[in-house]
Amino acid sequence: MRVHVVSDVHGNTEALARAGDGADALVCLGDLVLFLDYADHSRGIFPDLFGAENASRIVALRTERRYEEARAFGASLWQGLDRNAAIESAVRRQYAEMFAAFPTPTYATYGNVDMPALWKEYAETGTTVLDGERIEIGGRVFGFVGGGLRTPMRTPYEISDEEYAAKIEAVGEVDVLCTHIPPEVPELVYDTVARRFERGSVALLDAIRRTRPRYALFGHVHQPLVRRMRIGATECVNVGHFAGSGRPWALEW
């Protein structure tokens, strides 16, 4: 059995269409949407609307952790525009392309920049969406927990620590634990390019230590200090490099 795993697709539809080649199934851990590319400020919904120069300004403010200034600057650009309508329209265009690129079968969960309410409109037969749920793939039990925890960034699918912990608890003991965000371990949550600690989950870390899955797979942090490490009996793997590399991570048994 061979399963390819991707996360943080961020608009890389071309590579996504090839991600399932040679595999029995594809697992996607979210963040399909590309709102703003921190490496290339000309790519994404934000620069499409406001230009690369304004995108560079937003990136600089966020990188310097000047979140209130970033929000104020962003609000000034949106003034007079219907923000929700513009973003939803752009996200729908991206989702239409990316869900069409998913191979059959695909098992997917949401990232923090995704809009879960729209997924049911685009997930066709062959794509199974799971969040706080488990499923058997090739004789192994996979658990899926989507979304992220609340941050000053205020991305679309952020939930409270309590809600997230409840989803982790609902999944229970599995062979492969699939989440969008990593466990709260410094080496796994620090992004070396964005130069900040992203939010990981303490509840996820506790569950890994307690239930001892064979693998814990996640994304969210694009350039972590460490892409792979063991926590007790569990191999923890960051697969959140797909947008840049275009290469899935392969799990075989």
Side-chain angles (χ1 to χ4, degrees):
M1 190 74 184
R2 182 181 178 93
V3 172
H4 286 178
V5 189
V6 302
S7 184
D8 300 82
V9 177
H10 292 303
N12 194 344
T13 309
E14 183 178 349
L16 184 61
R18 302 189 304 267
D21 290 355
D24 298 292
L26 178 71
V27 166
C28 179
L29 304 184
D31 271 10
L32 300 181
V33 173
L34 178 61
F35 188 76
L36 179 57
D37 190 331
Y38 276 63
D40 181 351
H41 303 166
S42 68
R43 297 181 65 244
I45 295 171
F46 189 93
D48 285 349
L49 291 169
F50 303 115
E53 184 176 343
N54 286 325
S56 295
R57 175 64 176 159
I58 284 283
V59 169
L61 290 171
R62 289 179 176 178
T63 302
E64 294 166 11
R65 301 183 185 179
R66 295 157 63 184
Y67 298 118
E68 292 300 326
E69 291 180 61
R71 274 194 288 272
F73 178 62
S76 71
L77 295 175
W78 284 105
Q79 194 168 11
L81 299 175
D82 187 334
R83 175 177 180 146
N84 290 338
I87 291 176
E88 181 174 324
S89 177
V91 169
R92 283 182 177 278
R93 288 194 296 272
Q94 291 189 11
Y95 278 170
E97 293 181 1
M98 283 181 282
F99 276 90
F102 277 143
T104 297
T106 291
Y107 304 91
T109 196
Y110 316 111
N112 63 292
V113 303
D114 284 313
M115 299 176 69
L118 299 182
W119 278 39
K120 60 180 176 291
E121 297 183 34
Y122 296 95
E124 300 178 354
T125 302
T127 298
T128 303
V129 180
L130 304 113
D131 188 17
E133 300 164 280
R134 44 197 278 156
I135 195 167
E136 185 176 310
I137 305 173
R140 287 191 176 180
V141 179
F142 285 63
F144 291 80
V145 175
L149 298 174
R150 289 176 182 158
T151 72
M153 305 289 282
R154 299 180 183 177
T155 51
Y157 190 38
E158 294 181 355
I159 62 176
S160 70
D161 289 56
E162 293 75 19
E163 290 176 276
Y164 195 87
K167 291 197 294 184
I168 292 288
E169 188 66 25
V171 165
E173 294 186 12
V174 295
D175 298 306
V176 184
L177 184 52
C178 300
T179 60
H180 177 67
I181 63 174
E184 182 59 47
V185 176
E187 294 88 343
L188 299 177
V189 300
Y190 185 75
D191 192 304
T192 59
V193 174
R195 292 182 294 173
R196 65 169 180 260
F197 287 97
E198 301 286 358
R199 283 211 67 189
S201 170
V202 173
L204 173 57
L205 177 60
D206 290 344
I208 290 170
R209 287 171 170 163
R210 185 179 70 256
T211 66
R212 298 164 61 89
R214 298 185 187 189
Y215 291 93
L217 309 178
F218 48 85
H220 189 54
V221 182
H222 300 169
Q223 298 91 13
L225 284 172
V226 175
R227 290 201 180 276
R228 191 166 183 158
M229 69 184 298
R230 292 194 72 84
I231 297 176
T234 303
E235 189 74 14
C236 299
V237 184
N238 182 310
V239 299
H241 49 75
F242 186 75
S245 71
R247 296 189 301 273
W249 185 77
L251 177 62
E252 295 182 287
W253 65 95

